[in-house]
Amino acid sequence: MNRILLASAFLLISISAAFADGIPSAAPTAVGPVPAAVSPAPKAPAPKLVEPHLHIARSNLAGHARIALTFDACMGQADERILSTLVREHIPATIFVTARWLKRNPAAVAVFLQNPDLFELENHGQNHIPAVDTPTLIYGIASAGSPQAVLQEVEGGAAAMVAAGIPAPHWFRGSTAKYDLSAIGEIRAMGYRIAGYSVNGDGGSLLGAVITEKRIASAKDGDVVISHINQPTHAAGEGVAKALVDLKAKGTEFVRLQDVEDTGDDKTTE
């Protein structure tokens, strides 16, 4: 009996071993060199931007500062608080207009053209695109991005001015007033002087009325002031209007850019 049991056990062990030998084992995992992580393509370096300064010839007379008021008309509507003050107080100014603003503000354009002794109209571009010839963002605004696009922005703005009955412009100021040096060279080659500034009057029309008034009223002999005339709902416009009256009361001489010699850095006027 014991022999039978032993024989049976031996038979089962042999069958199990044979069955196990017939089952293929899991294929071994191939071990090789781990591929290196793919690095992202290096970003193109951001262009070096400049925000040129501009000064005009001083009067050099005590109590008789000479300043140039410049206003950007980017988009939106005309600020009648500023425009009416300029006309009422007979204060000359240089207005930089875009093609987009011209289309929306024919009544204000008519006032400018009816007062050629007060207003010099100059080029602020076709679509208010920063005049930078490589792709970048400036204050969240996409730049022109190429020399061809800079050319279109400048010449498109000038064409719109002429079509509106405005004399051909001689000055250009781009959106954000920032440029790269190569674009400055391109714009100068088109025959334009580039209008920087020395006093930022209204912080892009984002400042309050009180601080705007103080900034502009602090302008000194030879300064070029930049402000905006296209934001009638912003508090800054009230401050601009008050500052104009303040300056006039102090005996300030107001001039347009076309009426006086000037000096701009970064080769913007050379």
Side-chain angles (χ1 to χ4, degrees), residues 6-236:
L6 288 173
S8 299
F10 179 79
L11 180 60
L12 288 172
I13 291 171
S14 299
I15 293 171
S16 298
F19 183 74
D21 288 341
I23 298 176
S25 60
T29 302
V31 178
V34 178
V38 178
S39 300
K43 293 183 178 179
K48 178 183 177 182
L49 302 180
V50 296
E51 192 166 356
H53 292 94
L54 180 67
H55 289 86
I56 58 171
R58 298 176 180 178
S59 73
N60 292 318
L61 298 174
H64 189 76
R66 176 189 292 154
I67 70 168
L69 297 171
T70 69
F71 293 94
D72 287 359
C74 313
M75 294 169 280
Q77 301 295 327
D79 191 332
E80 290 295 335
R81 297 169 298 180
I82 300 172
L83 181 55
S84 62
T85 300
L86 291 168
V87 174
R88 183 183 67 250
E89 299 294 332
H90 205 72
I91 295 175
T94 302
I95 316 294
F96 287 86
V97 297
T98 67
R100 296 171 68 174
W101 189 89
L102 288 174
K103 186 179 296 185
R104 296 188 62 180
N105 294 275
V109 174
V111 173
F112 291 146
L113 294 177
Q114 290 163 8
N115 293 275
D117 57 328
L118 293 182
F119 299 116
E120 170 191 3
L121 299 180
E122 297 293 351
N123 188 359
H124 196 34
Q126 182 176 24
N127 291 307
H128 201 246
I129 296 172
V132 174
D133 62 11
T134 55
T136 191
L137 290 176
I138 307 172
Y139 304 133
I141 305 174
S143 66
S146 71
Q148 294 76 17
V150 169
L151 174 66
Q152 179 60 45
E153 175 69 3
V154 177
E155 296 296 5
M161 293 178 68
V162 172
I166 300 169
H170 303 286
W171 286 87
F172 176 79
R173 175 183 285 156
S175 167
T176 75
K178 292 181 182 289
Y179 316 83
D180 53 354
L181 296 178
S182 53
I184 286 176
E186 293 155 13
I187 298 166
R188 292 289 290 125
M190 297 178 211
Y192 293 92
R193 302 171 78 78
I194 297 174
Y197 61 90
S198 58
V199 175
N200 186 338
D202 62 1
S205 192
L206 298 177
L207 298 178
V210 173
I211 189 170
T212 295
E213 180 182 2
K214 289 181 177 178
R215 280 194 178 193
I216 298 175
S218 69
K220 297 177 175 58
D221 195 15
D223 273 334
V224 175
V225 180
I226 182 176
S227 297
H228 291 74
I229 196 169
N230 66 300
Q231 296 290 356
T233 64
H234 291 193

